[in-house]
Amino acid sequence: MSEIQRFDVGARMSEMAVYNGMAYLAGQVAPDGSQDIKGQTAQVLAAIDALLARAGTDKSRILRAQIFLKDLAEFADMNSVWEAWVVPGHTPPRATVKADLARPEWKIEIVVTAAV
């Protein structure tokens, strides 16, 4: 049986768990909540890239993405950043939903699962 690896373990959660060839990321949010949706999306995607690299994988191996948006009116602007980031031909299955996020300044949160 494979060992579970946990990254950035805290009292409440870990940022990522890797098990049996899969990387499970916690919801990623922008560290600078003062930016607009494009800026926050770019920050979140950079955080995802960094975590995936630590697991020995990358965005071309994302199997599923879940996107939580505070305001669906920002869907097109978020998508413009997302589409520039994803690897053509390797776009993952994705869901996007409107959600109240834990902090009022957060506009987006993204959760991904990737193959390692």
Side-chain angles (χ1 to χ4, degrees):
M1 180 174 271
S2 298
E3 179 114 7
I4 298 172
Q5 294 178 282
R6 297 184 195 281
F7 294 75
D8 303 329
V9 178
R12 182 177 303 134
M13 58 178 265
S14 298
E15 286 298 321
M16 177 174 60
V18 176
Y19 177 72
N20 201 25
M22 302 286 288
Y24 303 90
L25 276 62
Q28 299 300 301
V29 294
D32 180 1
S34 70
Q35 292 192 12
D36 66 7
I37 188 63
K38 288 184 177 185
Q40 287 196 29
T41 301
Q43 290 178 66
V44 170
L45 297 176
I48 290 169
D49 279 333
L51 282 168
L52 292 175
R54 289 176 66 195
T57 191
D58 63 54
K59 63 188 171 187
S60 72
R61 297 181 55 79
I62 294 175
L63 299 172
R64 176 180 176 190
Q66 297 169 294
I67 300 175
F68 303 92
L69 279 181
K70 183 175 185 175
D71 184 353
L72 289 178
E74 297 181 316
F75 185 70
D77 285 339
M78 177 276 298
N79 270 329
S80 69
V81 178
W82 173 269
E83 290 167 4
W85 176 77
V86 292
V87 178
H90 296 277
T91 52
R94 186 186 100 172
T96 304
V97 298
K98 179 181 179 356
D100 289 327
L101 301 177
R103 293 194 180 163
E105 67 270 23
W106 289 341
K107 297 178 175 293
I108 186 169
E109 183 169 351
I110 301 177
V111 178
V112 301
T113 302
V116 175

